[in-house]
Amino acid sequence: EVVAAIETEFDTRSRATRPAGYPDMPFKIETVQVFDESVMRWVDLYDARQLRHKAQLWAFQPESIWHSDAQGVIPDPEKKLCTFTTPLGSPRRARIATDAGVPPT
């Protein structure tokens, strides 16, 4: 479920910003890591029980000729908040007719 949510979010973003001549490929994730505060390092995400409130994730795509996930050090976790859900109290949003079929930018 988490992988599907991440893939959906970034697939929409990558398609909306795809350069000319770049193939229309779906955004896929190979592995996900979560910052484990008990050991203070990034670990592979195997089970939803590893997730905690405000958990920070790092997603890796499979190697491709179109991009390279160069190996390196994952940066320290950040304190800013990012969510895929609508915060409580936010105004309702709806598409208008002119938005139909247009990806967000």
Side-chain angles (χ1 to χ4, degrees):
E1 197 173 301
V2 171
V3 170
I6 295 169
E7 287 179 342
T8 299
E9 175 70 19
F10 286 98
D11 187 60
T12 303
R13 290 182 187 200
S14 66
R15 289 175 192 265
T17 59
R18 185 181 67 232
Y22 190 89
D24 186 16
M25 297 170 36
F27 185 91
K28 292 293 176 193
I29 293 177
E30 186 171 58
T31 59
V32 177
Q33 290 197 334
V34 60
F35 189 76
D36 187 337
E37 293 187 5
S38 64
V39 293
M40 298 302 290
R41 66 185 184 103
W42 294 95
V43 297
D44 287 335
L45 180 65
Y46 295 111
D47 192 287
R49 291 177 292 202
Q50 290 175 267
L51 297 175
R52 300 287 179 251
H53 182 64
K54 296 187 181 181
Q56 295 189 46
L57 305 177
W58 198 269
F60 297 90
Q61 294 179 269
E63 255 331 284
S64 164
I65 62 169
W66 298 102
H67 67 83
S68 173
D69 272 347
Q71 290 189 2
V73 176
I74 299 176
D76 290 335
E78 297 181 4
K79 295 292 183 195
K80 67 181 172 181
L81 179 64
C82 175
T83 181
F84 288 103
T85 60
T86 304
L88 289 174
S90 294
R92 291 193 52 87
R93 298 174 66 180
R95 288 192 176 268
I96 56 175
T98 57
D99 285 343
V102 178
T105 57

